[in-house]
Amino acid sequence: MNCLEFRREKLSDPNSRNEELSAHGAECASCRTFESSLHGLDDGIRDALDVKVPEGLAARVLLNQSLQPRRRLTTVRPRWIGVAAAVVLSAVISLALFTGPPQPDLNRRLIAHVQHEHPAPDALMLSQAHLQQVLYSVGAESEALPGRVLYATSCIIEGQLVAHLIVRHGDAEYVLILVPGEPASHESTLQTASWKGLVEPHPLGNLALLEASTASTNELHTAQMRQIVQQYGNAIRSRTI
Amino acid sequence: MPGSNVEFDSRPEAMALRTALHKLPAKYREPLILQVLEGYTLDDIAGFFGLPRNTVATRLHRARQKLRAQLEHNDRDTG
């Protein structure tokens, strides 16, 4: 084994106990220093993220998923246990870095986001486990949402982790975005040439409902959107695990 | 707000490391977190994500390389 192979292996797994690695490390001071620096990096990560995943997380994730009325149990796989832990920890990193008061230009950012991130219809796909992951990533969960969720993903809007869903409600499709953080003091509407929507304060932050439409907003339509966003708002709650 | 009551190490080096981790694409960050914080093996992680072991090894390799590069870059900027 040469130094390049040693370093490549150690970068993948600093704790590897491969005998060839040990033999090379014993005779190469430079590689021992490199290995030591990798252990230092991993120690630094543990210190920087000194957050424990709640005990029993995996069991509760699976229990939660089994309670979903439309859940197909065949999709429950042990691999979600670890992935859920990684997603939760990733979300903690994001929240630690970017939690703060709402930006005054939230509506502008939402519009910019949906204009650039709206998935093509053939990209729509969803499993219940994936939906739960997306909600978990912003500190939320839901046992059942009022409409049919077609798509869900975790996105970052200018440094803020959000849950981006596409839902079908009646005959219409809407974009639903949960932006965690401090709730706005009041509801606001937004409209561009191609989008209109409503942003409602929510216990977890702000919940936006947007619809691709060139029609102008009227009071009846705003009231309908308000009713829909409030139904989703009531169904989405703070994560309990 | 979930997570907002969590107290983190506020030393500059810890902040820099968290920022560097946040900048890593999820495909690199998540296996790294599973390995370093949760103690999962390469084979475990490959199983979780349904990926070949070599792919996970490459992602972990690149994750650490990127983190080291980012931290060295920060040191140069502040040094």
Side-chain angles (χ1 to χ4, degrees):
Chain A
M1 173 168 283
N2 60 35
C3 294
L4 185 64
E5 290 167 332
F6 178 92
R7 293 177 187 213
R8 188 187 297 133
E9 289 288 323
K10 284 291 180 181
L11 277 164
S12 297
D13 185 1
N15 295 313
S16 172
R17 294 182 180 178
N18 178 307
E19 287 181 10
E20 286 185 64
L21 286 172
S22 302
H24 180 83
E27 64 189 30
C28 179
S30 165
C31 282
R32 281 200 303 276
T33 303
F34 180 82
E35 181 182 12
S36 175
S37 76
L38 288 179
H39 285 299
L41 179 67
D42 282 10
D43 289 345
I45 293 171
R46 278 186 285 271
D47 289 344
L49 302 178
D50 187 15
V51 178
K52 302 293 181 198
V53 174
E55 200 168 330
L57 171 69
R60 280 178 286 178
V61 168
L62 292 176
L63 174 63
N64 230 22
Q65 289 174 350
S66 71
L67 294 175
Q68 301 300 313
R70 286 172 295 177
R71 170 136 193 85
R72 289 190 305 153
L73 290 174
T74 52
T75 62
V76 176
R77 294 176 187 166
R79 72 182 188 189
W80 289 112
I81 297 169
V83 175
V87 169
V88 169
L89 286 163
S90 294
V92 167
I93 299 168
S94 302
L95 291 168
L97 286 169
F98 296 108
T99 296
Q103 300 299 313
D105 59 350
L106 174 62
N107 293 5
R108 176 191 62 73
R109 290 183 292 139
L110 288 168
I111 288 290
H113 181 72
V114 292
Q115 284 174 334
H116 290 98
E117 301 291 334
H118 200 57
D122 59 1
L124 301 184
M125 49 186 280
L126 183 78
S127 72
Q128 192 67 27
H130 178 68
L131 171 61
Q132 290 300 334
Q133 270 198 359
V134 169
L135 292 174
Y136 272 44
S137 73
V138 293
E141 65 180 13
S142 177
E143 289 184 1
L145 291 174
R148 182 176 164 221
V149 181
L150 303 175
Y151 176 85
T153 187
S154 301
C155 299
I156 293 180
I157 300 181
E158 295 183 15
Q160 171 82 54
L161 189 71
V162 306
H164 179 150
L165 278 58
I166 295 179
V167 298
R168 184 187 294 280
H169 207 92
D171 294 331
E173 282 182 16
Y174 300 93
V175 173
L176 187 75
I177 299 181
L178 175 58
V179 185
E182 190 177 323
S185 57
H186 53 80
E187 169 192 294
S188 62
T189 57
L190 48 90
Q191 182 163 11
T192 69
S194 53
W195 288 89
K196 58 189 173 189
L198 197 65
V199 182
E200 287 273 348
H202 182 272
L204 283 166
N206 293 287
L207 192 59
L209 187 76
L210 298 104
E211 181 182 19
S213 169
T214 53
S216 59
T217 303
N218 60 46
E219 285 188 18
L220 176 61
H221 192 263
T222 301
Q224 288 171 336
M225 291 191 83
R226 182 179 299 116
Q227 190 176 24
I228 294 170
V229 74
Q230 286 175 350
Q231 285 178 25
Y232 280 92
N234 291 337
I236 295 172
R237 61 171 187 258
S238 179
R239 196 182 71 220
T240 55
I241 64 172
Chain B
M1 175 82 202
S4 60
N5 60 345
V6 176
E7 289 187 9
F8 285 88
D9 188 339
S10 59
R11 289 173 301 148
E13 55 268 35
M15 294 285 289
L17 195 42
R18 284 200 294 274
T19 302
L21 278 167
H22 183 79
K23 286 180 180 172
L24 278 183
K27 69 176 184 178
Y28 296 136
R29 182 177 61 237
E30 290 176 356
L32 184 67
I33 287 173
L34 288 173
Q35 186 183 56
V36 176
L37 294 190
E38 298 295 301
Y40 286 111
T41 66
L42 273 171
D43 290 324
D44 290 335
I45 298 166
F48 293 150
F49 289 104
L51 293 170
R53 186 182 192 278
N54 284 347
T55 302
V56 174
T58 302
R59 289 184 182 182
L60 287 163
H61 175 126
R62 290 187 181 152
R64 287 191 173 87
Q65 274 186 324
K66 286 173 182 288
L67 275 183
R68 284 162 60 93
Q70 180 66 45
L71 295 173
E72 284 168 11
H73 178 77
N74 292 348
D75 284 347
R76 278 200 302 276
D77 283 353
T78 57

